Amino acid sequence: MNRSFHGTLRSAAIAAALLLIQSAASAIEKPKQAAPPEAPPEAPPVTIAPTDETQFQQTLQRVTTFRNFRGLSIGDEAIDQIARGEADKAVASLSTLAAQGNRDANIALVRIQHLCNSVSQSRQQDWQAQLPQVAKQFPAERAGRVAGVLKTQAEFSPRAKQGCSQARFDFAGIESRLRASAEAGDPASAAELAQFVRDPAKREALLQTAISKNYAPAMYAAASNLLMAVQRGETTENVSKIRDLLKVAGRSMPKAKLDLANCMSLGCDGHPADARTALAFGTDAARDGEPTAFLSMVRMPWGRQMPRVQLLAWQYFGDQLNEAGCMGDAYIVTSLGFAQSIPMLEKGQPTQVLDAAKSQAETLWKDNGERAKKENGCR
């Protein structure tokens, strides 16, 4: 019995010792670290293939130049030369005309000076670095063209800089002729000079000289200056003149017509807001192909007076006009606007509404397409 008892104790002691050893071994074992998470797969590289938009870019440049020199009788050749980046050739021919007393040619030289100043200060854009944003913001069917426009814009910039660097401006002669013409009462010269006069009283006097001869750009400039002064809280006088000036200027300037619509719909000129009356002016600006009219009608109260079908039809019209190149260097930003506004207006609409809008857009294009293209120098 004692032998059995001692054997049992011995077995228990051995078992306890083994358990102690196992516990100790467990206690000093280093904890196992979890395997690091796998790195997320890299995003696939952007693969937008730019389409060849060389000819389209020329249209965009031509429209932009036409709009910048609107109202000046300088001939198609000078417009085309500037649009091709050949400022030196345009300056040479216009300088001859200006020296012979052609006031429009002299004003054009002033504008080319400032155009070349902007061109010389611009930085070369890395169009490929912009492709990821293009892929995010534009539908696939439009992204290739947008990329192509970015590419051709980057290629155009060095040509424009070279043309400007080779242009020979007679700075003193241009300024002297501009001042002399303004003093002689030429409204276009007075309005042009007003942009560069620092003294507010002299600037206003020049504009009033041009306004007295019903020169629309001067009216538009005066209205814009007064509107900014009101918005900044600098004046509350003659606020009602904003509407009168924009209304007259809008007879020949689509941009003034649109600004009148926006102003009236918000009541920015001392009158109560009147979106319904503003609708007529805003819609007419769209008929003229004013680039900002189409996105304004989506955002401004006057556009919300339209039924959904009509509003969507005008968006289709504007998109078609933009794709024809008739909005100039605003092509990309306007294309982005339509890429947002059209899906927003289409969302949740039944098929019959979309079909009706497309049908109405075709009618709008048939009735107003040529007018809009002509207003923008789009050929």
Side-chain angles (χ1 to χ4, degrees):
M1 181 175 179
N2 288 340
R3 185 180 299 171
S4 175
F5 176 74
H6 287 297
T8 301
L9 285 177
R10 185 179 180 185
S11 298
I14 292 172
L18 289 173
L19 182 61
L20 183 61
I21 292 171
Q22 290 173 352
S23 299
S26 298
I28 64 175
E29 184 180 4
K30 292 183 179 179
K32 295 181 179 180
Q33 295 182 349
E38 294 183 4
E42 293 185 4
V46 177
T47 56
I48 298 177
T51 54
D52 183 0
E53 301 299 338
T54 304
Q55 191 61 42
F56 185 61
Q57 174 66 14
Q58 186 57 48
T59 299
L60 299 181
Q61 290 294 338
R62 212 272 175 187
V63 168
T64 300
T65 305
F66 178 89
R67 290 175 61 85
N68 288 341
F69 291 81
R70 185 195 297 273
L72 299 180
S73 299
I74 59 174
D76 287 342
E77 184 178 3
I79 295 292
D80 291 338
Q81 287 171 337
I82 299 167
R84 290 194 298 266
E86 300 169 353
D88 52 329
K89 295 180 180 179
V91 168
S93 59
L94 291 170
S95 293
T96 300
L97 293 174
Q100 295 171 352
N102 188 315
R103 291 171 174 173
D104 281 357
N106 197 64
I107 293 172
L109 289 171
V110 174
R111 295 184 186 179
I112 297 173
Q113 282 184 51
H114 291 275
L115 171 66
C116 283
N117 186 49
S118 298
V119 167
S120 64
Q121 293 180 0
S122 64
R123 294 187 299 175
Q124 184 67 23
Q125 296 295 317
D126 182 357
W127 66 273
Q128 291 176 309
Q130 300 179 60
L131 294 185
Q133 287 301 314
V134 172
K136 289 180 182 179
Q137 296 177 332
F138 291 90
E141 64 272 14
R142 192 64 58 82
R145 177 169 237 192
V146 171
V149 170
L150 287 171
K151 181 175 182 289
T152 53
Q153 283 178 342
E155 293 169 347
F156 174 78
S157 181
R159 295 201 306 273
K161 287 185 177 182
Q162 182 179 11
C164 283
S165 68
Q166 294 176 347
R168 297 294 175 260
F169 292 101
D170 176 12
F171 296 105
I174 293 170
E175 181 179 352
S176 175
R177 289 191 294 266
L178 184 67
R179 291 185 179 278
S181 296
E183 291 174 3
D186 177 54
S189 298
E192 196 74 21
L193 181 60
Q195 300 178 62
F196 312 109
V197 174
R198 294 183 179 181
D199 186 294
K202 292 181 179 179
R203 181 170 60 245
E204 184 63 22
L206 286 166
L207 287 177
Q208 290 303 320
T209 296
I211 290 172
S212 68
K213 298 185 178 181
N214 296 317
Y215 187 61
M219 295 180 183
Y220 180 55
S224 300
N225 292 342
L226 182 55
L227 180 58
M228 285 190 290
V230 170
Q231 291 174 338
R232 293 170 181 167
E234 297 173 356
T235 184
T236 56
E237 297 180 0
N238 300 319
V239 177
S240 61
K241 288 176 61 178
I242 296 173
R243 178 176 297 199
D244 297 334
L245 290 168
L246 289 177
K247 190 175 291 186
V248 177
R251 294 171 186 168
S252 58
M253 297 180 66
K255 176 62 176 171
K257 199 180 301 181
L258 176 63
D259 284 1
L260 173 62
N262 292 340
C263 183
M264 290 177 69
S265 67
L266 296 173
C268 69
D269 56 353
H271 296 276
D274 186 358
R276 184 160 294 279
T277 302
L279 173 63
F281 294 101
T283 304
D284 208 42
R287 292 190 186 98
D288 288 333
E290 171 55 38
T292 53
F294 303 96
L295 301 183
S296 287
M297 68 174 60
V298 176
R299 299 166 182 163
M300 285 289 176
W302 64 265
R304 293 195 285 272
Q305 302 296 310
M306 295 183 187
R308 176 65 64 99
V309 168
Q310 185 182 8
L311 184 57
L312 187 52
W314 275 116
Q315 297 304 294
Y316 291 148
F317 176 95
D319 190 40
Q320 183 173 353
L321 189 67
N322 192 41
E323 286 303 309
C326 298
M327 298 186 187
D329 59 5
Y331 169 76
I332 291 179
V333 67
T334 307
S335 185
L336 177 60
F338 287 128
Q340 296 170 347
S341 67
I342 290 176
M344 178 188 71
L345 292 171
E346 289 178 334
K347 186 176 181 180
Q349 297 302 312
T351 303
Q352 57 266 34
V353 169
L354 302 181
D355 290 344
K358 291 174 183 176
S359 176
Q360 192 172 131
E362 291 177 1
T363 302
L364 289 174
W365 186 260
K366 180 180 178 181
D367 294 343
N368 305 289
E370 288 304 315
R371 167 182 170 178
K373 291 170 72 174
K374 182 179 179 181
E375 284 288 343
N376 289 285
C378 186
R379 301 185 297 197

